[in-house]
Amino acid sequence: MTTSYITHADCLRHEMGAGHPECPERLAAVNEQMRASGLLETLRCLKAPLAAAADMKRVHQSDYVESIFRNSPSQGYAQLDPDTAMNPHSLQAALRAAGAGLLGVDEVVAGRAANAFCAVRPCGHHATALRSMGFCIFNNIAVAAAYALEQKGLKRVAIIDFDVHHGNGTEDMFSLPHWQGRVMMAGFFQHPFYPHSGTRNPAPNMVNVPLPAGSGGAAIRRAMEEHWRPALERFAPELVLISAGFDAHAEDLLGGMALVDEDYVWMTRELMALAARHSQGRIVSMLEGGYNLAALGRSALAHVRTLAGAV
Ligand SMILES: [Zn+2]
């Protein structure tokens, strides 16, 4: 069994203006690490398909999805919110990013791959049902989770979010009673920090572990062992989805946490062990944040190499 690596050149054409930290070079850095290390040629490399509006509407409000299609500019930029903009290629990139997750779910459910990594942008976990936010247009991981539950017949899906920022959009969507019992979300995030959410009365299916700036590997291990693992073992997910942001890395100055490459290997192994016990090993991991190009490339490589069993 192999690891699928799902990406698309369209995801390199979305950009939000000079100096924006969520830049095409991020994805190029990830792809380059995969290629230069020789790992890429051992993976099942697939092009991300386009998600359909109907796929987005399982978690986003219809009006919002239609407004994104309508706002796509033919030139220049359409500013969606203070942090997020569209250029003429962004709609296509956003549909590929969400589509990658759908294909990833197809791959692992059909048993064509043991697990999948989606090297995509724009990222997704801040996008709520109603709006774009924090560099995110469509909530890729949520679109994948809803697809697995409503189209592929799975009963329980876990989402693990290890980005330095709280995945407020994913939490907003899956806190609804409609999803509770079918989705569990577990994550750590720097607190207090953008987007200043995740700490007040989370829904019972949310396992949120806020951590102070400076937290490193020891704090992550405690979060996993004391909070995530017991809840996830009880929940027994049939599929594990990962919002894989690498901005909790010590070298990432957008975040203030202190993880090192090896911490991503450890977390990946833990999640693989969980998936082996409950989910037939099925994991779909999707790129979220990560803004130091060198640390992002190395950490993503460490993560995918571990998924591929190549360490
Ligand atoms: Zn982030």
Side-chain angles (χ1 to χ4, degrees):
M1 283 285 266
T2 182
T3 294
S4 294
Y5 186 80
I6 306 171
T7 188
H8 199 286
D10 287 349
C11 294
L12 293 161
R13 303 173 80 197
H14 158 63
E15 54 86 25
M16 298 187 275
H20 198 295
E22 208 289 86
C23 57
E25 290 77 10
R26 297 179 54 244
L27 180 54
V30 171
N31 285 333
E32 177 54 19
Q33 282 282 343
M34 301 293 160
R35 193 197 59 74
S37 66
L39 181 66
L40 199 61
E41 59 197 57
T42 71
L43 306 177
R44 184 172 146 82
C45 295
L46 301 170
K47 285 198 175 108
L50 296 166
D55 295 310
M56 262 51 106
K57 289 180 183 179
R58 291 188 193 102
V59 288
H60 288 285
Q61 287 219 348
S62 198
D63 290 357
Y64 171 68
V65 175
E66 281 154 26
S67 79
I68 294 299
F69 279 79
R70 220 173 30 244
N71 283 329
S72 178
S74 53
Q75 56 180 359
Y77 297 100
Q79 198 71 35
L80 299 178
D81 63 62
D83 300 322
T84 319
M86 296 175 78
N87 76 353
H89 308 290
S90 300
L91 176 60
Q92 196 80 352
L95 296 175
R96 297 280 182 204
L102 304 179
L103 178 57
V105 170
D106 283 341
E107 286 285 287
V108 300
V109 170
R112 292 192 295 267
N115 50 45
F117 181 74
C118 303
V120 291
R121 52 185 292 281
C123 36
H125 71 156
H126 295 307
T128 73
L130 298 170
R131 62 189 177 112
S132 67
M133 190 173 153
F135 318 160
C136 304
I137 298 174
F138 297 126
N139 194 318
N140 307 318
I141 204 85
V143 169
Y147 175 73
L149 291 165
E150 300 207 325
Q151 296 294 303
K152 306 306 281 187
L154 300 193
K155 294 187 178 65
R156 291 177 309 283
V157 173
I159 300 173
I160 318 301
D161 189 324
F162 60 61
D163 192 278
V164 77
H165 302 100
H166 175 236
N168 62 295
T170 316
E171 173 166 313
D172 272 2
M173 289 166 168
F174 293 127
S175 293
L176 296 176
H178 174 66
W179 298 107
Q180 286 184 24
R182 295 195 288 163
V183 178
M184 171 171 281
M185 181 176 176
F188 67 76
F189 47 88
Q190 184 177 327
H191 177 77
F193 198 44
Y194 182 88
H196 307 287
S197 53
T199 53
R200 279 187 294 274
N201 300 318
N205 58 329
M206 297 291 147
V207 186
N208 294 350
V209 184
L211 293 171
S215 298
I220 301 310
R221 282 160 176 74
R222 271 200 308 280
M224 174 77 81
E225 284 157 11
E226 292 171 17
H227 299 283
W228 295 6
R229 195 190 284 151
L232 289 165
E233 293 290 346
R234 279 196 300 276
F235 183 65
E238 295 180 326
L239 170 67
V240 173
L241 301 178
I242 304 177
S243 264
F246 296 95
D247 44 6
H249 196 287
E251 293 168 34
D252 196 306
L253 301 181
L254 219 78
M257 285 180 61
L259 269 62
V260 296
D261 301 13
E262 193 57 33
D263 293 321
Y264 292 101
V265 173
W266 183 83
M267 277 194 290
T268 307
R269 285 204 181 115
E270 280 286 318
L271 296 174
M272 290 173 76
L274 173 85
R277 286 194 291 278
H278 298 290
S279 324
Q280 302 172 41
R282 299 185 291 214
I283 295 177
V284 178
S285 177
M286 305 192 73
L287 182 63
E288 299 279 3
Y291 303 95
N292 176 303
L293 298 184
L296 168 64
R298 289 197 324 270
S299 307
L301 173 63
H303 174 58
V304 179
R305 186 179 260 158
T306 307
L307 286 175
V311 279

